[in-house]
Amino acid sequence: GAVVSQHPSRVICKSGTSVKIECRSLDFQATTMFWYRQFPKQSLMLMATSNEGSKATYEQGVEKDKFLINHASLTLSTLTVTSAHPEDSSFYICSARQTGIDQETQYFGPGTRLLVL
Amino acid sequence: QKEVEQDPGPLSVPEGAIVSLNCTYSNSAFQYFMWYRQYSRKGPELLMYTYSSGNKEDGRFTAQVDKSSKYISLFIRDSQPSDSATYLCAMGAGGFKTIFGAGTRLFVKA
């Protein structure tokens, strides 16, 4: 099956710093990637849709200036949490939509656990 | 009304039992349906993908889609403790974003 990686898997940072999370599709090209946030024992919350070569589409209530998304290539999307605060602590998961064979299937990365002190 | 309804559980069953997980939905435009399994602190893993109505079987897992009733199911036969996880249904259609259910937590007791 299709493989999506995320890096780092865990990060601890001080309040006010910025954190970058990378999402890579390892064996397929993805024009569309998604970023989700998940709180303990809750479902996925879509934050934004990342489109290669264009601006990301953010869901209502998600601050685009705080959560910067860049999708510079067909295999890489990055999420930067700027000026992180403790309330940004969460589990961030990306997914990639496989292009071509099955356009409607999302493959998820393993997630990044962010803790802001 | 949510677009996708899924009972969060938890659902607890003994090892070897047949597990039935279900979702209902309201948007008749949905054409593709998926089930994901998510272990604690991990990303969701795609289990089953079905396009339109019908059944699909893969090992111990069977996915059913009834578009007339707007109802989908995932059956797990001979459940194992390693099946303990959260199961998310997801669905969508071309031009629509994929909608996920809230997830059902399953515990299989040895």
Side-chain angles (χ1 to χ4, degrees):
Chain A
V3 180
V4 176
S5 70
Q6 267 183 255
H7 177 80
S9 58
R10 297 180 64 183
V11 58
I12 301 173
C13 68
K14 293 182 179 180
S15 184
T17 61
S18 294
V19 175
K20 179 186 282 188
I21 303 170
E22 292 186 349
C23 178
R24 294 182 184 271
S25 55
L26 298 184
D27 51 3
F28 67 100
Q29 294 182 327
T31 56
T32 304
M33 291 184 172
F34 303 89
W35 287 96
Y36 294 84
R37 186 172 178 175
Q38 188 176 39
F39 292 103
K41 299 183 180 181
Q42 294 189 23
S43 189
L44 303 167
M45 184 189 80
L46 179 64
M47 298 175 65
T49 301
S50 169
N51 299 295
E52 187 268 336
S54 64
K55 291 184 178 180
T57 303
Y58 290 82
E59 295 298 302
Q60 191 174 9
V62 178
E63 298 177 59
K64 62 181 180 180
D65 294 331
K66 180 168 185 62
F67 298 99
L68 301 178
I69 292 173
N70 183 276
H71 194 157
S73 77
L74 288 173
T75 60
L76 174 63
S77 176
T78 60
L79 169 69
T80 302
V81 182
T82 63
S83 187
H85 290 282
E87 58 264 31
D88 298 324
S89 299
S90 189
F91 192 49
Y92 292 87
I93 312 174
C94 73
S95 72
R97 177 184 286 166
Q98 188 168 27
T99 306
I101 298 174
D102 188 340
Q103 293 190 358
E104 311 300 351
T105 302
Q106 292 184 37
Y107 293 93
F108 285 86
T112 297
R113 190 160 301 279
L114 171 63
L115 176 62
V116 184
L117 302 176
Chain B
Q1 181 188 12
K2 290 182 181 179
E3 281 193 279
V4 177
E5 298 276 1
Q6 183 176 13
D7 187 338
L11 176 63
S12 184
V13 301
E15 183 175 359
I18 296 176
V19 176
S20 173
L21 303 167
N22 312 291
C23 288
T24 59
Y25 62 96
S26 57
N27 190 342
S28 59
F30 287 147
Q31 294 177 305
Y32 57 88
F33 306 88
M34 293 165 284
W35 286 94
Y36 288 86
R37 176 176 62 195
Q38 185 177 23
Y39 291 112
S40 181
R41 304 190 176 199
K42 300 291 184 183
E45 168 194 11
L46 179 65
L47 277 180
M48 301 287 281
Y49 173 92
T50 309
Y51 184 81
S52 195
S53 284
N55 295 358
K56 186 174 183 179
E57 188 174 321
D58 184 1
R60 296 185 295 113
F61 299 90
T62 299
Q64 286 187 353
V65 175
D66 183 349
K67 292 187 72 177
S68 62
S69 301
K70 299 189 182 68
Y71 188 87
I72 69 170
S73 301
L74 177 70
F75 297 96
I76 307 174
R77 292 183 298 280
D78 188 24
S79 56
Q80 304 294 311
S82 58
D83 295 327
S84 299
T86 296
Y87 290 80
L88 301 117
C89 64
M91 52 198 75
F96 292 86
K97 65 183 178 184
T98 301
I99 306 297
F100 287 85
T104 300
R105 295 175 65 201
L106 171 67
F107 296 97
V108 180
K109 299 172 292 184

